[in-house]
Amino acid sequence: MDNLLYWIGLVAVAVNALTGVLDAGRKRMDLVGAVMVGTATALGGGTVRDVLLDRTVFWISDQTYLLVAIATTLVVFFAVRGLKLPQRLFLIPDAIGLALFTVAGTQIALHWHAPWLVASLLGVTTGVVGGVLRDVLCNEVPLVFVRGELYASAAWAGALVLIGLQELAVSPVVAAWAGMAVILLARLLAMAFRITLPTYTERQ
Amino acid sequence: MDNLLYWIGLVAVAVNALTGVLDAGRKRMDLVGAVMVGTATALGGGTVRDVLLDRTVFWISDQTYLLVAIATTLVVFFAVRGLKLPQRLFLIPDAIGLALFTVAGTQIALHWHAPWLVASLLGVTTGVVGGVLRDVLCNEVPLVFVRGELYASAAWAGALVLIGLQELAVSPVVAAWAGMAVILLARLLAMAFRITLPTYTERQ
Amino acid sequence: MDNLLYWIGLVAVAVNALTGVLDAGRKRMDLVGAVMVGTATALGGGTVRDVLLDRTVFWISDQTYLLVAIATTLVVFFAVRGLKLPQRLFLIPDAIGLALFTVAGTQIALHWHAPWLVASLLGVTTGVVGGVLRDVLCNEVPLVFVRGELYASAAWAGALVLIGLQELAVSPVVAAWAGMAVILLARLLAMAFRITLPTYTERQ
């Protein structure tokens, strides 16, 4: 499981870095701006989780994450530069990053002996904060707060599946895959069919 | 005193969660968005204080705070939904939350052996950061920076009263009530009579 | 070297507080708003560095920094109030603050046994975050992300010079001055001659 978690973390960092660069590109940032936004998107969620848990920040204790984030941003910057990409393309890697980070964050919080409710919320935080940082730095309303499609709720559902299955003695590896599948499916279906939660005001 | 602090903390969390949901409602967020904004408003200030003091984050060491925050947001969301509330209504719970959180934050920083100036500023931080988060997440200029009415200055005055009275050997419980009264009164009077501090530029 | 670092830190705090107040003034904030923005600009970068390194936050362990920040904001507020200053004036103290904070932040991270890549990025963080906070609180697009002139890249170059020279057995004091000179020169030349990095999209 530890091995799986490590790889999930690395892939999540790369995928989130990718979405950060794509978003920075739409704002026509320069090389260093794009690298900074990509790196913040990749490392932001896990950093907040580690600070809240008073754990050594993951990219300080293991530089591999930092190198993967920077390398990904550089490759994407030069590969995609000048191409015309459809605006909503980055929503798919964004959903993948959400699934990977939420599961990794929840599992790490459980290892750190957080109670289940706290662990599930720290998992959602890990999944969501990177994208919030990206959107704030690019001066957009964070995707997670956009009314309509499931986002944080999809992440929370997946975190609870991950925790619940392990309570039922399912192996952590299977539980992790199930949690990620729930998040990814819920998010993609919500985007495809515009599934929404109740909103606050019916009338205005 | 510890008992009083605990209750002050719980009420402050509930009151701030309420203001967060009311604000999220005006932006027509959905259920999860409103819960997230309400919870961030409720827990943000104390979280920053604890991270700066290198203390275990209060809602991780005691889940009650988290449960109170989430329960309040859910109740308020469904209770207020569809009602038409006057725009400035949430300013009164906001002032109560400011008073409660500033006093709780200052006292906790003193317990943690922070010097008085640092303790008073960490108190102001505890009182103010939740509302700043709420306003940033709802894409508004933070109330605390709006020119005109006393806000952070009211909180700072109350924190200094709390510290000064204890220096004069007044009991912590009395000092806490006095500090809260100062903040609440200063803020409400400032709103009622538009009391302001000098601004930077007279002419433009 | 420790002595030099201490003074660099104090001057950096004062210079950054100055830029924060100047910016708050353009937004016509009141006294407390200006003090808060100035103090956040002065202390923000180092605070994030210390939280990431799990070090006691520098202005909590030594109140001098906090007093310097507040005193500077008060003096500047009353000195400059009512004057008409050229809009871009604050870019020069901003460049000085960037140079001082980046070098101090990098060196502290090295002392704390961070690997070189992490140390250089924490140095850039220390240099850049205060200004980002200032710009976000004043509701502007952060200078560091504005397309065009070198900013974070200048800071990174200086941090790498500081680290590289020490690897080559140059004395830390000389390396620190060299690093600061690189950052200040690169930033000023970039502003004067509009030196830019490649941007993401050529065509639109």
Side-chain angles (χ1 to χ4, degrees):
Chain A
M1 178 66 185
D2 283 349
N3 209 18
L4 178 65
L5 263 190
Y6 189 72
W7 283 101
I8 289 178
L10 286 180
V11 176
V13 162
V15 168
N16 255 28
L18 168 77
T19 72
V21 177
L22 290 181
D23 215 20
R26 287 195 292 164
K27 297 289 160 152
R28 314 187 71 195
M29 290 189 177
D30 69 9
L31 179 58
V32 167
V35 168
M36 289 178 67
V37 171
T39 308
T41 310
L43 306 178
T47 303
V48 170
R49 177 202 59 211
D50 290 344
V51 166
L52 292 178
L53 286 174
D54 206 5
R55 205 169 161 266
T56 307
V57 176
F58 70 109
W59 52 271
I60 291 182
S61 64
D62 180 353
Q63 271 190 286
T64 317
Y65 294 104
L66 187 54
L67 292 168
V68 167
I70 295 176
T72 309
T73 56
L74 289 175
V75 168
V76 175
F77 184 87
F78 288 108
V80 180
R81 200 179 161 210
L83 292 183
K84 263 215 152 118
L85 297 169
Q87 273 236 341
R88 285 171 63 92
L89 179 75
F90 88 111
L91 289 174
I92 290 173
D94 182 80
I96 297 172
L98 178 69
L100 297 171
F101 265 130
T102 303
V103 165
T106 307
Q107 197 64 20
I108 284 169
L110 286 178
H111 281 192
W112 211 249
H113 303 298
W116 70 269
L117 182 61
V118 169
S120 69
L121 286 178
L122 287 174
V124 175
T125 303
T126 312
V128 156
V129 166
V132 171
L133 267 180
R134 175 195 63 212
D135 296 342
V136 168
L137 293 178
C138 291
N139 207 16
E140 286 173 15
V141 179
L143 255 185
V144 67
F145 298 118
V146 171
R147 172 172 152 238
E149 296 143 6
L150 308 179
Y151 195 98
S153 37
W156 203 357
L160 294 177
V161 164
L162 170 68
I163 295 170
L165 287 179
Q166 288 179 89
E167 280 299 308
L168 300 172
V170 173
S171 99
V173 173
V174 174
W177 285 108
M180 288 188 283
V182 166
I183 298 169
L184 196 55
L185 270 176
R187 177 75 183 130
L188 293 179
L189 290 175
M191 288 197 287
F193 299 107
R194 306 209 158 273
I195 301 168
T196 60
L197 287 175
T199 53
Y200 187 89
T201 358
E202 276 331 302
R203 51 214 188 79
Q204 188 76 10
Chain B
M1 178 65 186
D2 283 350
N3 209 17
L4 177 65
L5 264 189
Y6 188 72
W7 284 100
I8 289 178
L10 286 180
V11 176
V13 162
V15 168
N16 255 29
L18 168 76
T19 72
V21 177
L22 290 182
D23 216 21
R26 287 194 293 163
K27 296 289 159 152
R28 317 188 70 195
M29 290 189 179
D30 69 9
L31 179 57
V32 168
V35 169
M36 288 178 68
V37 172
T39 308
T41 311
L43 306 178
T47 303
V48 170
R49 176 203 60 210
D50 290 344
V51 166
L52 291 179
L53 286 173
D54 206 3
R55 207 170 159 263
T56 307
V57 176
F58 69 110
W59 53 272
I60 291 181
S61 63
D62 180 354
Q63 270 189 287
T64 316
Y65 293 103
L66 187 54
L67 292 168
V68 167
I70 294 175
T72 309
T73 56
L74 288 174
V75 169
V76 175
F77 184 87
F78 288 108
V80 180
R81 201 180 160 208
L83 292 183
K84 262 214 151 122
L85 297 169
Q87 273 238 340
R88 284 170 64 91
L89 179 76
F90 89 110
L91 288 174
I92 291 173
D94 182 81
I96 297 172
L98 179 70
L100 296 171
F101 265 130
T102 303
V103 164
T106 307
Q107 198 65 20
I108 285 170
L110 286 177
H111 281 190
W112 210 250
H113 304 298
W116 69 269
L117 182 61
V118 169
S120 69
L121 286 178
L122 287 174
V124 175
T125 303
T126 312
V128 156
V129 166
V132 170
L133 267 180
R134 176 195 62 212
D135 296 342
V136 168
L137 293 178
C138 291
N139 207 15
E140 287 173 14
V141 178
L143 256 185
V144 67
F145 297 119
V146 171
R147 173 171 152 239
E149 295 143 7
L150 308 179
Y151 195 99
S153 37
W156 202 357
L160 293 177
V161 164
L162 170 68
I163 295 170
L165 286 179
Q166 287 181 91
E167 279 299 308
L168 300 171
V170 174
S171 99
V173 173
V174 174
W177 286 109
M180 288 189 283
V182 165
I183 298 169
L184 197 55
L185 272 176
R187 176 77 184 129
L188 293 179
L189 290 174
M191 286 197 287
F193 300 106
R194 307 208 157 275
I195 301 170
T196 60
L197 286 175
T199 52
Y200 186 89
T201 358
E202 276 332 301
R203 51 213 188 79
Q204 188 78 9
Chain C
M1 179 64 186
D2 283 349
N3 209 17
L4 177 64
L5 263 190
Y6 188 73
W7 283 100
I8 289 178
L10 286 179
V11 176
V13 163
V15 168
N16 255 30
L18 168 75
T19 71
V21 177
L22 290 181
D23 215 20
R26 288 194 292 165
K27 296 288 161 151
R28 314 187 71 196
M29 290 189 179
D30 69 8
L31 179 57
V32 168
V35 168
M36 289 178 67
V37 171
T39 307
T41 312
L43 306 178
T47 303
V48 170
R49 175 201 61 211
D50 290 344
V51 166
L52 291 179
L53 286 173
D54 206 3
R55 207 170 158 263
T56 307
V57 176
F58 69 109
W59 53 272
I60 291 181
S61 64
D62 180 353
Q63 270 189 287
T64 316
Y65 293 103
L66 188 54
L67 292 168
V68 167
I70 295 175
T72 308
T73 56
L74 288 174
V75 168
V76 175
F77 184 87
F78 288 108
V80 180
R81 200 181 160 207
L83 292 183
K84 263 216 151 117
L85 296 168
Q87 273 238 340
R88 285 172 63 91
L89 180 76
F90 89 110
L91 288 174
I92 291 173
D94 182 81
I96 298 172
L98 179 69
L100 296 171
F101 265 129
T102 303
V103 164
T106 307
Q107 198 64 20
I108 284 169
L110 286 177
H111 281 190
W112 211 250
H113 303 298
W116 70 269
L117 182 61
V118 169
S120 69
L121 285 178
L122 286 174
V124 175
T125 303
T126 312
V128 156
V129 166
V132 171
L133 267 180
R134 177 194 62 213
D135 296 341
V136 168
L137 294 177
C138 291
N139 207 16
E140 287 173 15
V141 178
L143 255 184
V144 66
F145 297 118
V146 171
R147 172 171 151 238
E149 295 143 7
L150 308 179
Y151 195 99
S153 37
W156 202 356
L160 294 177
V161 164
L162 170 68
I163 295 170
L165 286 180
Q166 288 180 90
E167 281 298 309
L168 300 171
V170 173
S171 98
V173 173
V174 174
W177 286 108
M180 289 188 283
V182 165
I183 297 169
L184 197 55
L185 272 177
R187 176 78 183 126
L188 293 179
L189 290 175
M191 288 196 287
F193 299 106
R194 308 207 158 274
I195 302 168
T196 60
L197 286 176
T199 52
Y200 187 89
T201 359
E202 277 330 301
R203 50 213 186 80
Q204 189 79 7

